[in-house]
Amino acid sequence: HRGRETKGIAMFQVNTFLSIAKAMLTKKSPFYIQYYINGKCNLSCKQCNIVETNSKVAELGLDGIAKFAQNIKKIGGGIVLLTGGDPFMRKDLPEIVDIFVKTGLNIRLQTAGTRFATKQKLQACYDAGARDINVSLDSLEMNKFDYINSVPGSAQNAINTIETISHVFREASILSFGTVLSRYNYREIPAILEFARRIGWWVSLVPDRWVQVSRK
């Protein structure tokens, strides 16, 4: 991971480091912002309620997103997570990436690894300046993966997307799995961590509501 970590640090713009420093010193300035650019996803994951919550949220056009990006920079933002829904269901995603990068912000892409994350769109996002991407991975067992996502074939789509990303996001990139820790997969976490280590990816573990209630 050391080479990947060094490249990941090098990819951040100066503005991002300044944003982090300001946030740490003042405790009043955000540097990591989640932006739901759509509310659409073709999966129906058992542990997810975000799509249902955001399904009626109107999408901003490119002009509106450009104004939003400028406002984020003005308040000291550094890293913007483009999430949804699945952002790759927006045809103009590469243009959105271009807007944020040219504004001086680092962006992180998020995807469920669906068929919408095509090689062409991934390459266009990379060419526009995207160097940080997170793919949902909740199981290494294909049948269980499909069961969690409620869509047959979604596991294979995710694996294909992971392979494509590994080829497209080559230089100075941060590649990671977003794994929701739930009653469906908690015994698999060591295997998921080992899989990520072997292919040079990171893992972001997020407990779902079941885990939070169980801890109480």
Side-chain angles (χ1 to χ4, degrees):
H1 283 297
R2 193 162 189 82
R4 176 77 72 183
E5 181 180 13
T6 302
K7 291 179 180 179
I9 292 174
M11 66 169 251
F12 288 129
Q13 301 189 44
V14 173
N15 176 68
T16 299
F17 287 110
L18 294 176
S19 173
I20 294 172
K22 183 179 179 181
M24 294 179 65
L25 291 172
T26 67
K27 308 298 183 183
K28 296 180 180 180
S29 175
F31 72 89
Y32 186 85
I33 296 163
Q34 293 189 21
Y35 175 32
Y36 294 86
I37 65 172
N38 70 347
K40 299 175 183 177
C41 184
N42 69 325
L43 304 182
S44 183
C45 300
K46 289 178 168 49
Q47 74 277 24
C48 178
N49 63 357
I50 295 176
V51 174
E52 180 180 349
T53 302
N54 294 337
S55 60
K56 296 182 180 180
V57 175
E59 298 178 3
L60 283 178
L62 295 180
D63 289 341
I65 289 175
K67 293 178 181 178
F68 176 80
Q70 289 292 341
N71 288 335
I72 292 300
K73 186 174 182 180
K74 287 179 182 177
I75 64 174
I79 302 173
V80 180
L81 170 66
L82 300 184
T83 185
D86 193 315
F88 280 84
M89 292 187 73
R90 284 196 62 152
K91 295 180 180 179
D92 58 357
L93 182 59
E95 288 80 5
I96 294 173
V97 170
D98 184 64
I99 288 171
F100 280 99
V101 171
K102 287 183 177 177
T103 304
L105 297 164
N106 280 98
I107 61 99
R108 162 175 276 195
L109 294 172
Q110 194 167 49
T111 180
T114 66
R115 58 187 174 83
F116 297 96
T118 63
K119 182 176 182 180
Q120 181 180 9
K121 189 174 289 185
L122 286 163
Q123 185 65 60
C125 288
Y126 180 86
D127 292 342
R131 295 294 185 274
D132 188 347
I133 187 167
N134 180 281
V135 181
S136 298
L137 181 72
D138 293 317
S139 178
L140 295 177
E141 299 178 21
M142 305 293 272
N143 290 336
K144 184 191 294 185
F145 200 134
D146 285 353
Y147 172 76
I148 293 173
N149 291 342
S150 303
V151 176
S154 59
Q156 188 60 58
N157 285 335
I159 295 299
N160 293 342
T161 300
I162 290 166
E163 181 179 7
T164 301
I165 289 172
S166 295
H167 290 294
V168 172
F169 281 66
R170 302 174 302 277
E171 300 293 330
S173 298
I174 297 177
L175 313 180
S176 61
F177 297 132
T179 302
V180 178
L181 178 61
S182 71
R183 62 183 179 275
Y184 305 111
N185 67 355
Y186 69 97
R187 295 181 185 276
E188 281 193 76
I189 299 306
I192 292 174
L193 292 171
E194 175 60 18
F195 174 61
R197 186 194 67 79
R198 290 178 62 182
I199 68 173
W201 284 48
W202 300 91
V203 177
S204 174
L205 287 174
V206 181
D208 77 350
R209 288 168 295 178
W210 172 79
V211 175
Q212 295 171 12
V213 170
S214 297
R215 290 186 63 184
K216 294 178 182 179

